[in-house]
Amino acid sequence: MTRSEAKILLVLEDGFDATEIEEALPAGTRLQSARLSSGQHGRLPLADAADAELLLVACASDGDHALELIKAAHTQLQNRPPVVVIYAGSPNGFMERAFEAGADDLIALPQSREQLAFALEKALVRRRGASAPKTGTMIAVLGPKGGTGKTLTACNLAEALAGGGASPVVVDLDLQFGDVGLALGLRPEKTIYNLAVAGGSLDVEKIESFLARHPSGASALLAPVRPDQAATVSPNFLRTVFDLLRSRHDFVIVDTPPAFTPEVIAAIDAASHLCLVGMLDALSLKDTKIGLETLAQMGYEPADVTLVLNRADTSVGISMADVERLLGRRPDVLVPSDRAIPTAITEGRTIVAAEPHSEAARAFTSLAETYLAGGKIPRLQPLQPAPKRRLTLLKKGAA
Ligand SMILES: Nc1ncnc2c1ncn2[C@@H]1O[C@H](COP(=O)(O)OP(=O)(O)O)[C@@H](O)[C@H]1O
Ligand SMILES: [Mg+2]
Protein backbone atom coordinates (compact mmCIF):
# COMPACT_ATOMS: atom_id res chain seq x y z
CA MET A 1 0.00 0.00 0.00
CA THR A 2 1.12 3.54 -0.67
CA ARG A 3 0.82 4.48 2.95
CA SER A 4 3.90 2.43 3.81
CA GLU A 5 5.85 4.03 0.96
CA ALA A 6 5.37 7.57 2.24
CA LYS A 7 8.45 9.41 3.37
CA ILE A 8 7.55 12.10 5.87
CA LEU A 9 9.70 14.65 7.62
CA LEU A 10 8.24 15.61 10.98
CA VAL A 11 9.78 18.75 12.41
CA LEU A 12 8.90 19.38 16.04
CA GLU A 13 9.18 22.56 17.96
CA ASP A 14 11.31 22.18 21.07
CA GLY A 15 9.35 20.43 23.82
CA PHE A 16 6.58 19.14 21.51
CA ASP A 17 5.73 15.54 22.35
CA ALA A 18 5.59 13.59 19.09
CA THR A 19 4.03 10.42 20.55
CA GLU A 20 0.47 11.37 19.62
CA ILE A 21 1.41 12.10 16.00
CA GLU A 22 3.62 9.04 15.63
CA GLU A 23 0.85 6.81 16.93
CA ALA A 24 -1.72 8.34 14.58
CA LEU A 25 0.41 7.86 11.44
CA PRO A 26 -0.38 4.77 9.36
CA ALA A 27 1.79 1.77 10.19
CA GLY A 28 4.91 1.48 8.06
CA THR A 29 5.24 5.20 7.29
CA ARG A 30 8.87 6.13 6.77
CA LEU A 31 9.16 8.90 9.34
CA GLN A 32 12.17 11.09 9.87
CA SER A 33 12.02 13.47 12.83
CA ALA A 34 13.91 16.67 13.49
CA ARG A 35 13.79 19.19 16.33
CA LEU A 36 13.45 22.89 15.80
CA SER A 37 14.90 24.72 18.78
CA SER A 38 15.75 28.33 19.45
CA GLY A 39 19.44 27.47 19.08
CA GLN A 40 18.96 26.25 15.55
CA HIS A 41 18.63 29.53 13.65
CA GLY A 42 20.14 29.11 10.23
CA ARG A 43 20.18 25.33 10.59
CA LEU A 44 16.68 24.54 9.49
CA PRO A 45 16.31 20.92 8.28
CA LEU A 46 15.77 22.05 4.71
CA ALA A 47 17.96 19.41 3.08
CA ASP A 48 15.81 16.69 4.64
CA ALA A 49 12.64 18.52 3.59
CA ALA A 50 13.81 18.64 -0.02
CA ASP A 51 13.40 14.92 -0.58
CA ALA A 52 10.46 14.28 1.76
CA GLU A 53 7.03 13.71 0.24
CA LEU A 54 5.31 15.53 3.08
CA LEU A 55 6.59 18.01 5.64
CA LEU A 56 4.76 18.00 8.96
CA VAL A 57 5.57 20.91 11.26
CA ALA A 58 4.32 20.50 14.82
CA CYS A 59 4.29 23.40 17.22
CA ALA A 60 2.50 24.48 20.35
CA SER A 61 3.39 27.97 21.52
CA ASP A 62 3.96 31.04 19.36
CA GLY A 63 5.22 28.91 16.49
CA ASP A 64 7.78 31.51 15.32
CA HIS A 65 10.45 28.97 14.51
CA ALA A 66 7.92 26.85 12.73
CA LEU A 67 6.86 29.84 10.62
CA GLU A 68 10.50 30.51 9.82
CA LEU A 69 10.90 26.93 8.57
CA ILE A 70 7.72 27.07 6.48
CA LYS A 71 8.83 30.36 4.90
CA ALA A 72 12.29 28.98 4.22
CA ALA A 73 10.86 25.81 2.65
CA HIS A 74 8.57 27.98 0.54
CA THR A 75 11.24 30.37 -0.68
CA GLN A 76 14.38 28.24 -0.75
CA LEU A 77 13.23 24.85 -2.02
CA GLN A 78 12.53 24.66 -5.72
CA ASN A 79 10.34 21.58 -5.47
CA ARG A 80 9.12 21.57 -1.90
CA PRO A 81 6.76 18.95 -0.45
CA PRO A 82 3.30 19.94 0.80
CA VAL A 83 3.56 21.48 4.25
CA VAL A 84 1.02 20.56 6.91
CA VAL A 85 1.18 22.38 10.23
CA ILE A 86 0.02 20.60 13.37
CA TYR A 87 -0.79 23.27 15.92
CA ALA A 88 -1.55 22.69 19.57
CA GLY A 89 -1.66 26.28 20.82
CA SER A 90 -4.61 28.56 21.50
CA PRO A 91 -6.14 30.24 18.44
CA ASN A 92 -4.33 33.59 18.18
CA GLY A 93 -4.06 34.27 14.49
CA PHE A 94 -1.40 31.60 14.06
CA MET A 95 -3.44 29.81 11.42
CA GLU A 96 -3.51 32.88 9.16
CA ARG A 97 0.21 33.45 9.67
CA ALA A 98 0.96 29.79 8.86
CA PHE A 99 -0.97 30.00 5.60
CA GLU A 100 0.73 33.32 4.78
CA ALA A 101 4.10 31.67 5.37
CA GLY A 102 3.21 29.01 2.80
CA ALA A 103 1.57 26.15 4.73
CA ASP A 104 -0.79 24.07 2.61
CA ASP A 105 -2.94 22.74 5.43
CA LEU A 106 -3.37 23.02 9.16
CA ILE A 107 -4.40 20.39 11.67
CA ALA A 108 -5.47 21.90 14.99
CA LEU A 109 -5.01 19.90 18.20
CA PRO A 110 -6.49 18.57 20.39
CA GLN A 111 -8.21 15.92 18.31
CA SER A 112 -9.10 12.36 19.12
CA ARG A 113 -6.64 9.77 17.90
CA GLU A 114 -9.10 8.69 15.20
CA GLN A 115 -9.61 12.26 13.98
CA LEU A 116 -5.88 12.93 13.92
CA ALA A 117 -5.24 9.64 12.09
CA PHE A 118 -7.91 10.60 9.56
CA ALA A 119 -6.45 14.10 9.04
CA LEU A 120 -2.94 12.66 8.60
CA GLU A 121 -4.24 10.02 6.23
CA LYS A 122 -5.76 12.75 4.07
CA ALA A 123 -2.53 14.73 4.14
CA LEU A 124 -0.68 11.60 3.04
CA VAL A 125 -3.05 10.91 0.21
CA ARG A 126 -2.53 14.47 -0.96
CA ARG A 127 1.23 14.31 -0.70
CA ARG A 128 3.62 15.26 -3.43
CA GLY A 129 3.10 13.64 -6.78
CA ALA A 130 -0.67 13.66 -6.51
CA SER A 131 -1.46 16.20 -9.18
CA ALA A 132 -1.45 16.02 -12.96
CA PRO A 133 -3.27 17.88 -15.72
CA LYS A 134 -7.01 17.22 -15.66
CA THR A 135 -9.47 17.24 -18.47
CA GLY A 136 -12.67 15.16 -18.30
CA THR A 137 -15.22 15.66 -15.56
CA MET A 138 -14.65 13.15 -12.76
CA ILE A 139 -17.59 12.38 -10.49
CA ALA A 140 -17.02 10.46 -7.26
CA VAL A 141 -20.29 8.78 -6.26
CA LEU A 142 -20.20 8.47 -2.49
CA GLY A 143 -22.36 7.22 0.35
CA PRO A 144 -21.33 6.16 3.81
CA LYS A 145 -23.74 3.24 3.91
CA GLY A 146 -24.17 0.12 1.76
CA GLY A 147 -27.31 -0.42 -0.26
CA THR A 148 -28.25 3.25 -0.62
CA GLY A 149 -28.03 3.24 -4.41
CA LYS A 150 -24.47 4.32 -5.22
CA THR A 151 -23.95 1.62 -7.84
CA LEU A 152 -27.45 2.22 -9.18
CA THR A 153 -26.66 5.94 -9.51
CA ALA A 154 -23.19 5.42 -11.02
CA CYS A 155 -24.45 2.98 -13.67
CA ASN A 156 -27.60 4.90 -14.58
CA LEU A 157 -25.68 8.16 -14.71
CA ALA A 158 -23.20 6.51 -17.11
CA GLU A 159 -26.00 5.19 -19.32
CA ALA A 160 -27.77 8.57 -19.32
CA LEU A 161 -24.54 10.45 -20.09
CA ALA A 162 -23.82 8.04 -22.94
CA GLY A 163 -27.38 8.64 -24.16
CA GLY A 164 -26.57 12.37 -24.12
CA GLY A 165 -23.65 11.79 -26.48
CA ALA A 166 -20.83 11.58 -23.94
CA SER A 167 -18.24 8.80 -23.55
CA PRO A 168 -18.36 8.00 -19.85
CA VAL A 169 -16.27 5.39 -18.07
CA VAL A 170 -17.26 3.90 -14.72
CA VAL A 171 -14.46 2.90 -12.35
CA ASP A 172 -15.65 0.35 -9.79
CA LEU A 173 -13.74 1.28 -6.65
CA ASP A 174 -15.76 -1.08 -4.49
CA LEU A 175 -12.66 -3.22 -4.75
CA GLN A 176 -13.87 -6.11 -2.60
CA PHE A 177 -17.54 -6.39 -3.48
CA GLY A 178 -17.95 -4.31 -6.61
CA ASP A 179 -21.03 -5.05 -8.70
CA VAL A 180 -20.88 -2.53 -11.55
CA GLY A 181 -20.24 -5.48 -13.89
CA LEU A 182 -23.42 -7.22 -12.75
CA ALA A 183 -25.49 -4.04 -12.83
CA LEU A 184 -24.38 -3.28 -16.40
CA GLY A 185 -24.43 -6.89 -17.60
CA LEU A 186 -20.67 -6.85 -18.30
CA ARG A 187 -18.44 -9.89 -17.90
CA PRO A 188 -15.31 -9.28 -15.82
CA GLU A 189 -12.88 -10.64 -18.40
CA LYS A 190 -10.35 -8.01 -17.38
CA THR A 191 -10.54 -6.02 -14.16
CA ILE A 192 -8.65 -3.28 -12.36
CA TYR A 193 -6.71 -6.07 -10.66
CA ASN A 194 -5.42 -7.37 -14.01
CA LEU A 195 -4.41 -3.82 -14.90
CA ALA A 196 -2.64 -3.32 -11.55
CA VAL A 197 -0.58 -6.50 -11.88
CA ALA A 198 0.03 -6.18 -15.63
CA GLY A 199 3.48 -4.67 -15.08
CA GLY A 200 5.19 -2.07 -17.24
CA SER A 201 4.24 1.58 -17.37
CA LEU A 202 0.67 2.81 -17.56
CA ASP A 203 -0.57 4.69 -20.54
CA VAL A 204 -4.03 5.47 -21.80
CA GLU A 205 -4.01 2.82 -24.55
CA LYS A 206 -3.10 0.17 -22.03
CA ILE A 207 -5.92 1.20 -19.68
CA GLU A 208 -8.39 1.27 -22.55
CA SER A 209 -7.55 -2.35 -23.31
CA PHE A 210 -8.67 -3.29 -19.79
CA LEU A 211 -12.09 -1.62 -20.04
CA ALA A 212 -15.33 -3.53 -20.51
CA ARG A 213 -17.52 -2.03 -23.25
CA HIS A 214 -21.21 -1.38 -22.71
CA PRO A 215 -23.67 -1.19 -25.63
CA SER A 216 -24.67 2.36 -24.60
CA GLY A 217 -21.18 3.62 -25.46
CA ALA A 218 -20.12 3.76 -21.81
CA SER A 219 -17.23 1.64 -20.62
CA ALA A 220 -16.14 0.34 -17.23
CA LEU A 221 -13.02 -0.56 -15.34
CA LEU A 222 -14.43 -3.39 -13.28
CA ALA A 223 -13.63 -4.40 -9.72
CA PRO A 224 -11.49 -7.45 -8.97
CA VAL A 225 -13.42 -10.72 -9.06
CA ARG A 226 -12.08 -11.78 -5.64
CA PRO A 227 -11.79 -9.62 -2.49
CA ASP A 228 -8.16 -10.68 -1.86
CA GLN A 229 -7.14 -9.04 -5.16
CA ALA A 230 -8.19 -5.62 -3.89
CA ALA A 231 -4.91 -5.00 -2.05
CA THR A 232 -3.00 -4.65 -5.33
CA VAL A 233 -4.82 -1.39 -6.09
CA SER A 234 -3.06 1.53 -4.39
CA PRO A 235 -4.03 5.22 -4.24
CA ASN A 236 -0.91 6.11 -6.28
CA PHE A 237 -1.88 3.69 -9.04
CA LEU A 238 -5.44 5.06 -8.97
CA ARG A 239 -4.29 8.66 -9.31
CA THR A 240 -2.48 7.75 -12.53
CA VAL A 241 -5.47 5.74 -13.77
CA PHE A 242 -7.87 8.64 -13.09
CA ASP A 243 -5.64 11.16 -14.84
CA LEU A 244 -5.21 8.93 -17.89
CA LEU A 245 -8.93 8.11 -18.10
CA ARG A 246 -9.76 11.81 -17.86
CA SER A 247 -7.46 12.50 -20.75
CA ARG A 248 -9.56 10.17 -22.94
CA HIS A 249 -13.12 10.28 -21.54
CA ASP A 250 -15.30 13.32 -21.00
CA PHE A 251 -16.77 11.71 -17.85
CA VAL A 252 -15.11 9.43 -15.31
CA ILE A 253 -17.65 8.13 -12.79
CA VAL A 254 -16.24 6.45 -9.72
CA ASP A 255 -18.47 4.04 -7.83
CA THR A 256 -17.24 3.59 -4.26
CA PRO A 257 -17.60 1.28 -1.26
CA PRO A 258 -19.43 2.61 1.81
CA ALA A 259 -16.28 3.86 3.60
CA PHE A 260 -13.69 6.62 3.36
CA THR A 261 -10.84 4.25 2.50
CA PRO A 262 -7.52 5.67 1.23
CA GLU A 263 -8.62 4.71 -2.30
CA VAL A 264 -11.89 6.62 -1.87
CA ILE A 265 -10.02 9.64 -0.49
CA ALA A 266 -7.74 9.50 -3.54
CA ALA A 267 -10.85 9.48 -5.73
CA ILE A 268 -12.40 12.40 -3.84
CA ASP A 269 -9.20 14.39 -4.22
CA ALA A 270 -8.92 13.64 -7.90
CA ALA A 271 -12.62 14.28 -8.58
CA SER A 272 -13.98 17.47 -10.09
CA HIS A 273 -17.46 16.72 -8.74
CA LEU A 274 -18.83 14.87 -5.71
CA CYS A 275 -22.19 13.11 -5.66
CA LEU A 276 -23.50 11.80 -2.34
CA VAL A 277 -26.27 9.19 -2.42
CA GLY A 278 -28.53 8.78 0.59
CA MET A 279 -31.85 7.09 1.26
CA LEU A 280 -35.00 8.32 2.87
CA ASP A 281 -34.94 6.52 6.20
CA ALA A 282 -33.77 7.63 9.61
CA LEU A 283 -30.51 5.67 9.77
CA SER A 284 -29.50 6.45 6.24
CA LEU A 285 -30.19 10.16 6.71
CA LYS A 286 -27.99 10.16 9.81
CA ASP A 287 -25.22 8.54 7.75
CA THR A 288 -25.75 11.04 4.93
CA LYS A 289 -25.41 13.87 7.44
CA ILE A 290 -22.17 12.34 8.72
CA GLY A 291 -21.04 11.92 5.10
CA LEU A 292 -21.64 15.63 4.42
CA GLU A 293 -19.83 16.55 7.63
CA THR A 294 -16.89 14.31 6.77
CA LEU A 295 -16.64 15.93 3.35
CA ALA A 296 -16.80 19.33 5.06
CA GLN A 297 -13.87 18.23 7.25
CA MET A 298 -12.04 17.41 4.04
CA GLY A 299 -12.75 20.91 2.79
CA TYR A 300 -15.82 20.37 0.59
CA GLU A 301 -18.80 22.56 1.39
CA PRO A 302 -22.13 20.66 1.66
CA ALA A 303 -23.69 23.05 -0.87
CA ASP A 304 -21.09 22.04 -3.48
CA VAL A 305 -21.87 18.34 -3.22
CA THR A 306 -24.63 16.97 -5.46
CA LEU A 307 -27.07 15.19 -3.18
CA VAL A 308 -29.16 12.31 -4.53
CA LEU A 309 -31.97 11.10 -2.28
CA ASN A 310 -32.92 7.56 -3.26
CA ARG A 311 -36.23 5.88 -2.43
CA ALA A 312 -37.42 9.42 -1.82
CA ASP A 313 -41.10 8.44 -2.00
CA THR A 314 -40.86 5.91 0.81
CA SER A 315 -43.46 6.49 3.43
CA VAL A 316 -41.52 6.43 6.69
CA GLY A 317 -42.96 9.53 8.32
CA ILE A 318 -40.11 11.80 7.24
CA SER A 319 -41.18 14.79 5.16
CA MET A 320 -38.97 16.67 2.72
CA ALA A 321 -38.99 19.56 5.21
CA ASP A 322 -37.58 17.14 7.82
CA VAL A 323 -34.89 16.05 5.37
CA GLU A 324 -33.96 19.64 4.67
CA ARG A 325 -33.83 20.49 8.34
CA LEU A 326 -31.78 17.39 9.20
CA LEU A 327 -29.29 17.68 6.36
CA GLY A 328 -29.19 21.45 6.36
CA ARG A 329 -29.90 21.48 2.62
CA ARG A 330 -32.27 20.30 -0.06
CA PRO A 331 -31.46 17.16 -2.12
CA ASP A 332 -30.74 17.91 -5.79
CA VAL A 333 -32.30 14.76 -7.22
CA LEU A 334 -35.10 12.57 -5.87
CA VAL A 335 -35.20 8.96 -7.05
CA PRO A 336 -38.37 7.03 -6.17
CA SER A 337 -38.50 3.35 -5.26
CA ASP A 338 -39.36 1.34 -8.33
CA ARG A 339 -39.84 -2.41 -8.53
CA ALA A 340 -38.55 -2.31 -12.08
CA ILE A 341 -35.10 -1.42 -10.68
CA PRO A 342 -34.24 -4.80 -9.08
CA THR A 343 -35.76 -6.54 -12.09
CA ALA A 344 -33.58 -4.51 -14.46
CA ILE A 345 -30.49 -5.16 -12.31
CA THR A 346 -31.17 -8.90 -12.46
CA GLU A 347 -31.13 -8.59 -16.25
CA GLY A 348 -27.92 -6.56 -16.14
CA ARG A 349 -29.73 -3.46 -17.42
CA THR A 350 -30.06 0.06 -16.12
CA ILE A 351 -33.47 1.52 -15.39
CA VAL A 352 -32.60 4.28 -17.86
CA ALA A 353 -32.43 1.63 -20.61
CA ALA A 354 -35.15 -0.70 -19.32
CA GLU A 355 -37.84 1.86 -18.43
CA PRO A 356 -36.67 5.18 -19.88
CA HIS A 357 -39.98 6.91 -19.16
CA SER A 358 -40.16 5.87 -15.50
CA GLU A 359 -39.77 8.53 -12.86
CA ALA A 360 -36.58 6.86 -11.61
CA ALA A 361 -35.03 6.89 -15.09
CA ARG A 362 -36.02 10.54 -15.51
CA ALA A 363 -34.33 11.38 -12.20
CA PHE A 364 -31.04 9.88 -13.41
CA THR A 365 -31.41 11.56 -16.79
CA SER A 366 -31.87 14.91 -15.08
CA LEU A 367 -28.76 14.20 -12.97
CA ALA A 368 -26.84 13.51 -16.19
CA GLU A 369 -28.18 16.74 -17.70
CA THR A 370 -26.90 18.65 -14.67
CA TYR A 371 -23.43 17.21 -15.24
CA LEU A 372 -23.57 17.78 -18.99
CA ALA A 373 -24.29 21.41 -18.12
CA GLY A 374 -21.27 21.60 -15.81
CA GLY A 375 -22.68 20.49 -12.46
CA LYS A 376 -21.46 21.82 -9.14
CA ILE A 377 -17.76 22.29 -8.68
CA PRO A 378 -16.59 21.61 -5.15
CA ARG A 379 -14.42 24.30 -3.62
CA LEU A 380 -11.64 22.85 -1.55
CA GLN A 381 -11.21 24.59 1.78
CA PRO A 382 -8.18 24.25 4.07
CA LEU A 383 -8.39 21.31 6.48
CA GLN A 384 -10.38 22.23 9.53
CA PRO A 385 -10.49 20.58 12.93
CA ALA A 386 -13.45 18.25 13.38
CA PRO A 387 -16.71 19.97 14.23
CA LYS A 388 -17.34 20.18 17.94
CA ARG A 389 -21.10 19.63 17.54
CA ARG A 390 -22.48 16.29 18.50
CA LEU A 391 -24.66 14.48 16.01
CA THR A 392 -27.98 14.37 17.76
CA LEU A 393 -29.88 15.33 14.66
CA LEU A 394 -32.07 12.36 14.11
CA LYS A 395 -33.00 11.55 17.63
CA LYS A 396 -35.79 14.10 17.62
CA GLY A 397 -36.66 14.43 13.95
CA ALA A 398 -36.94 10.86 12.76
CA ALA A 399 -38.07 8.83 15.71
N1 LIG B 1 -34.98 3.34 -5.96
C1 LIG B 1 -34.91 2.02 -5.83
N2 LIG B 1 -36.00 1.24 -6.08
C2 LIG B 1 -35.94 -0.11 -5.97
N3 LIG B 1 -34.84 -0.77 -5.60
C3 LIG B 1 -33.73 -0.07 -5.34
C4 LIG B 1 -33.70 1.35 -5.44
N4 LIG B 1 -32.46 1.77 -5.12
C5 LIG B 1 -31.74 0.66 -4.82
N5 LIG B 1 -32.50 -0.44 -4.96
C6 LIG B 1 -32.08 -1.82 -4.69
O1 LIG B 1 -31.09 -1.80 -3.70
C7 LIG B 1 -29.97 -2.52 -4.15
C8 LIG B 1 -28.71 -1.81 -3.66
O2 LIG B 1 -28.46 -0.69 -4.45
P1 LIG B 1 -26.96 -0.34 -4.85
O3 LIG B 1 -27.00 0.70 -5.89
O4 LIG B 1 -26.21 -1.59 -5.17
O5 LIG B 1 -26.43 0.24 -3.47
P2 LIG B 1 -24.94 0.64 -3.03
O6 LIG B 1 -24.11 0.63 -4.25
O7 LIG B 1 -25.07 1.98 -2.41
O8 LIG B 1 -24.52 -0.40 -2.04
C9 LIG B 1 -30.07 -2.59 -5.66
O9 LIG B 1 -29.56 -3.79 -6.15
C10 LIG B 1 -31.54 -2.49 -5.93
O10 LIG B 1 -32.10 -3.77 -6.02
MG1 LIG C 1 -22.38 -0.48 -4.63
Side-chain angles (χ1 to χ4, degrees), residues 225-248:
V225 289
R226 290 203 323 263
D228 59 287
Q229 297 174 336
T232 55
V233 179
S234 71
N236 254 354
F237 163 79
L238 285 172
R239 275 190 281 271
T240 310
V241 168
F242 293 145
D243 284 337
L244 289 170
L245 284 175
R246 292 179 78 174
S247 72
R248 179 63 62 94

Side-chain angles (χ1 to χ4, degrees), residues 145-152 172 174 177-180 255-258:
K145 201 175 166 74
T148 56
K150 292 179 289 300
T151 301
L152 179 78
D172 193 347
D174 193 343
F177 301 104
D179 43 17
V180 166
D255 188 23
T256 62

Side-chain angles (χ1 to χ4, degrees), residues 114-365:
E114 292 73 33
Q115 287 171 333
L116 182 58
F118 188 56
L120 289 170
E121 178 114 49
K122 281 188 311 231
L124 272 169
V125 169
R126 290 172 180 168
R127 70 180 189 268
R128 180 150 67 190
S131 61
K134 293 183 169 61
T135 45
T137 297
M138 176 169 156
I139 304 160
V141 180
L142 308 165
K145 201 175 166 74
T148 56
K150 292 179 289 300
T151 301
L152 179 78
T153 301
C155 293
N156 278 280
L157 178 58
E159 176 106 43
L161 285 169
S167 70
V169 56
V170 182
V171 179
D172 193 347
L173 220 52
D174 193 343
L175 295 173
Q176 294 203 321
F177 301 104
D179 43 17
V180 166
L182 277 177
L184 289 176
L186 298 171
R187 287 158 62 106
E189 277 158 14
K190 288 179 181 176
T191 72
I192 196 168
Y193 165 76
N194 304 117
L195 178 63
V197 298
S201 62
L202 274 177
D203 60 46
V204 72
E205 300 305 335
K206 183 171 176 179
I207 298 181
E208 289 293 310
S209 71
F210 283 80
L211 301 184
R213 307 287 165 182
H214 188 257
S216 65
S219 44
L221 185 56
L222 299 177
V225 289
R226 290 203 323 263
D228 59 287
Q229 297 174 336
T232 55
V233 179
S234 71
N236 254 354
F237 163 79
L238 285 172
R239 275 190 281 271
T240 310
V241 168
F242 293 145
D243 284 337
L244 289 170
L245 284 175
R246 292 179 78 174
S247 72
R248 179 63 62 94
H249 295 264
D250 42 14
F251 287 93
V252 178
I253 302 162
V254 185
D255 188 23
T256 62
F260 286 95
T261 60
E263 294 76 27
V264 172
I265 294 171
I268 293 171
D269 274 346
S272 55
H273 295 70
L274 304 180
C275 176
L276 187 65
V277 183
M279 272 197 316
L280 185 61
D281 70 64
L283 295 181
S284 182
L285 281 175
K286 179 209 65 162
D287 292 329
T288 305
K289 175 79 178 173
I290 293 173
L292 283 172
E293 294 193 345
T294 308
L295 291 174
Q297 273 179 261
M298 295 174 74
Y300 301 96
E301 291 293 323
D304 297 327
V305 177
T306 301
L307 186 58
V308 173
L309 189 64
N310 189 18
R311 297 184 180 274
D313 58 342
T314 315
S315 171
V316 286
I318 306 174
S319 69
M320 229 15 91
D322 290 335
V323 171
E324 214 175 314
R325 187 172 51 78
L326 295 170
L327 299 183
R329 52 157 299 183
R330 217 179 256 267
D332 297 288
V333 178
L334 304 178
V335 182
S337 289
D338 187 338
R339 272 196 237 156
I341 287 178
T343 310
I345 289 174
T346 310
E347 294 167 356
R349 299 178 76 197
T350 62
I351 192 69
V352 166
E355 300 276 350
H357 301 296
S358 64
E359 214 183 310
R362 287 211 308 270
F364 291 122
T365 307

